[in-house]
Amino acid sequence: PATRRIPRSAPAREDEARLAARRVLEDHHRRGVALVPSGEWGTRVLNAFRQELQAGGGELLAVGQIDTTRTDWAAPITEVLRISDSTARWHRLESVLGTKLQFEPRRRGDIEFIFSPAQANIERLLRPQLRFHYAGDIATYATSDAFEPDVHANDDLDGLIFPDMPWMLGGDLADAVHAATRDAWPTGGPYRGRLFAFGFDAFRLAQALRHAPVTGEITIDGLTGRLSLDNEHRVRRELLWAQLHEGGVRLLPPAAQ
């Protein structure tokens, strides 16, 4: 009998970065900037996002790196938004005219999106600083790392757009399983633990593989997303998209292709 290769999972965060780039393009944005944590994680996520964005005809105008050991990121924010250029022009004009001028800094006007992947504790500090620097109205995309299922933890993230699994965002299956686990563990249980969702779907995927045709064509609507196998027998996930609004989650419709 024919044998099947054991499914392998592609690096999750790079996959989410590519997914974010496709969502940006599908939302009809082409030109934008990125603010990413300095270090190896941020570099990998940025490279995946940039590659997918450019392949679809998009362009990253500027990239700023965030030092996660600090809490004030005015320097990289004002640099990518070119607010520092605006301030420099103001000082030059005052110098030429020899008088004090009223001034309100302006960000560059050609930015259609911001990509800001980061952990939730970083994102909660970054988002208010973007608003302070006149960028709160720009569509801002992140990865699922930014989201925690706690209304009090997301007050500062209003407007942030991100992908995540149904287990975290809700849905018929997720709500039914959550109710069942609550009944099974009245004093605890996996409230919204991501590892529980992966274990749940891994079991269902194993069961499906046992009864699948030799071609290995499998599609499962699971807690971690819509699962399928690609041509190399790697597990692919389609996530849901959501936007934070007044501390709560608002599911977004699929992007127009």
Side-chain angles (χ1 to χ4, degrees):
T3 59
R4 298 191 187 97
R5 295 169 58 189
I6 297 175
R8 295 178 290 116
S9 175
R13 293 305 172 261
E14 287 94 321
D15 278 355
E16 286 193 22
R18 296 184 185 97
L19 185 65
R22 292 196 293 272
R23 180 74 193 205
V24 165
L25 295 169
E26 290 161 0
D27 287 345
H28 306 293
H29 303 313
R30 290 293 180 271
R31 296 159 61 84
V33 299
L35 287 159
V36 301
S38 57
E40 189 262 344
W41 185 91
T43 299
R44 287 192 290 108
V45 171
L46 174 64
N47 288 342
F49 178 84
R50 190 202 304 268
Q51 183 182 42
E52 194 73 19
L53 182 74
Q54 292 178 341
E59 179 183 4
L60 267 184
L61 301 172
V63 174
Q65 290 194 335
I66 295 172
D67 181 354
T68 56
T69 64
R70 304 171 62 97
T71 58
D72 181 358
W73 302 303
I77 290 173
T78 56
E79 183 177 353
V80 299
L81 297 178
R82 286 190 177 171
I83 293 176
S84 53
D85 292 354
S86 176
T87 304
R89 286 194 297 270
W90 168 51
H91 288 310
R92 286 197 302 269
L93 189 57
E94 281 191 332
S95 178
V96 170
L97 297 177
T99 185
K100 292 292 183 181
L101 300 174
Q102 290 187 343
F103 171 70
E104 181 176 329
R106 293 184 179 181
R107 61 170 172 81
R108 61 190 302 168
D110 56 350
I111 298 174
E112 299 174 5
F113 71 87
I114 297 172
F115 178 54
S116 65
Q119 301 297 319
N121 61 320
I122 301 298
E123 207 77 55
R124 284 194 291 268
L125 294 172
L126 177 61
R127 182 74 178 147
Q129 292 183 49
L130 286 172
R131 285 196 293 268
F132 178 80
H133 290 291
Y134 315 100
D137 60 333
I138 302 175
T140 302
Y141 299 79
T143 58
S144 62
D145 302 273
F147 176 65
E148 293 179 349
D150 180 349
V151 64
H152 301 295
N154 299 310
D155 289 339
D156 292 328
L157 297 177
D158 207 60
L160 191 70
I161 302 169
F162 63 97
D164 212 333
M165 60 179 69
W167 181 239
M168 304 300 289
L169 299 178
D172 292 342
L173 176 62
D175 293 344
V177 174
H178 179 51
T181 58
R182 187 173 58 243
D183 292 339
W185 295 289
T187 59
Y191 170 58
R192 287 296 189 200
R194 296 177 189 273
L195 291 179
F196 175 85
F198 279 109
F200 183 92
D201 282 359
F203 175 77
R204 296 185 68 207
L205 188 60
Q207 294 293 98
L209 282 169
R210 290 179 58 188
H211 302 96
V214 174
T215 57
E217 295 180 0
I218 296 174
T219 301
I220 297 174
D221 289 316
L223 295 182
T224 62
R226 188 175 179 84
L227 306 179
S228 60
L229 300 183
D230 65 15
N231 293 333
E232 297 181 2
H233 292 262
R234 292 179 298 187
V235 179
R236 295 295 184 183
R237 285 193 302 148
E238 297 177 27
L239 301 179
L240 300 178
W241 279 94
Q243 186 172 32
L244 289 168
H245 179 67
E246 297 181 352
V249 172
R250 180 169 59 189
L251 290 178
L252 299 177
Q257 298 297 321

